[in-house]
Amino acid sequence: MDNFFTIIGGMGTIATELYIKQINQKTPATNDQEYLNYVLVNYSTIPDRSSYLMNKGKNKNPLPYLLNVIKQQAALEPNFFVLTCNTAHYFYEELQQASTIPFLHMPRLAVEEVSKNYPKGTRVGLIGTEGTIKNKIYDPFILEAGFDLVYPTLEIQQLVSTLIFDKIKQKNELDTVIYNQILEKMFELNCDVLILGCTELSLMEDAANYQNQHVIDPQNILAEESVRLALSYRK
């Protein structure tokens, strides 16, 4: 197969399913042959990224698993890799060093999108797993862009964790009541724009039909860049 890319997904599986829907919807296709070529690796048994980052001495490190699958997939020579997990971008440098094949960087792409529409000094809110927030996976890109970073309060973080892990991952339940509470409380902190730093939150934004223009969904932006780059290889 020529001109294809590889998606390292399954973190979680339902969120990866949304990414696939997003790239298919964004592809300008009028027949089967005009859709994109890609390999999906739904590696659902990779240890939880956030759990490891919050307690590295107790929980399994997902990096060896990620490196192994990258090695396997690199042998197929895709044009690029996509990693559909915000928290897994903590390992981005190690993954990129393990292969000459480029990786798209979801957090960087999301912040670049904010920069296109908001001036420096904008108050950018960020929500995600505790692993993403406490390990500052988005922070360098937000701060380097000249934005003010607004973190969730402990109350908001607890709501986010409940939504991601207790509702979506455990029960596949998209709780719009909790999601709307989270958004309201973040904007009460005077955020001008809010980044959803977890693909389970991307599921919630998709369910909400992208009604708030000041909410940035990194997975949706990742899908747009995936389509753009994949189509460029076909030319």
Side-chain angles (χ1 to χ4, degrees), residues 22-163:
Q22 288 169 327
I23 61 172
N24 290 339
Q25 289 179 337
K26 294 176 187 298
T27 303
T30 58
N31 56 53
D32 288 345
Q33 290 70 36
E34 291 179 345
Y35 282 96
L36 303 177
N37 294 335
Y38 52 82
V39 172
L40 169 60
V41 181
N42 199 68
Y43 199 176
S44 61
T45 53
I46 292 178
D48 187 75
R49 285 66 53 200
S50 186
S51 297
Y52 169 72
L53 293 180
M54 295 307 297
N55 193 338
K56 294 180 180 178
K58 180 179 178 182
N59 297 305
K60 284 186 177 181
N61 186 349
L63 179 58
Y65 297 78
L66 289 166
L67 289 172
N68 185 52
V69 73
I70 292 304
K71 180 180 179 180
Q72 292 175 345
Q73 292 301 308
L76 301 177
E77 299 184 345
N79 291 328
F80 60 92
F81 283 115
V82 173
L83 189 63
T84 59
C85 174
N86 286 273
T87 311
H89 281 74
Y90 175 84
F91 305 104
Y92 179 86
E93 296 299 332
E94 291 94 332
L95 298 177
Q96 186 59 86
Q97 290 172 10
S99 174
T100 58
I101 297 165
F103 280 77
L104 295 186
H105 196 296
M106 181 157 47
R108 185 181 290 121
L109 289 169
V111 176
E112 288 174 356
E113 182 66 22
V114 177
S115 296
K116 293 176 185 177
N117 299 289
Y118 296 87
K120 291 184 178 181
T122 292
R123 287 176 59 82
V124 178
L126 174 66
I127 53 176
T129 64
E130 282 191 81
T132 290
I133 300 299
K134 292 188 176 181
N135 286 275
K136 303 183 183 301
I137 292 172
Y138 271 83
D139 298 30
F141 310 106
I142 293 174
L143 298 175
E144 287 170 9
F147 298 130
D148 294 331
L149 177 54
V150 181
Y151 295 104
T153 63
L154 177 60
E155 177 193 9
I156 295 172
Q157 187 60 58
Q158 289 173 339
L159 286 172
V160 172
S161 296
T162 294
L163 180 60

Side-chain angles (χ1 to χ4, degrees), residues 118 179 183 187 193-196 205 212-217:
Y118 296 87
Y179 180 64
L183 297 191
F187 283 111
V193 60
L194 178 62
I195 295 177
L196 306 177
E205 185 62 11
N212 190 329
Q213 63 177 336
H214 300 298
V215 173
I216 301 295
D217 173 14

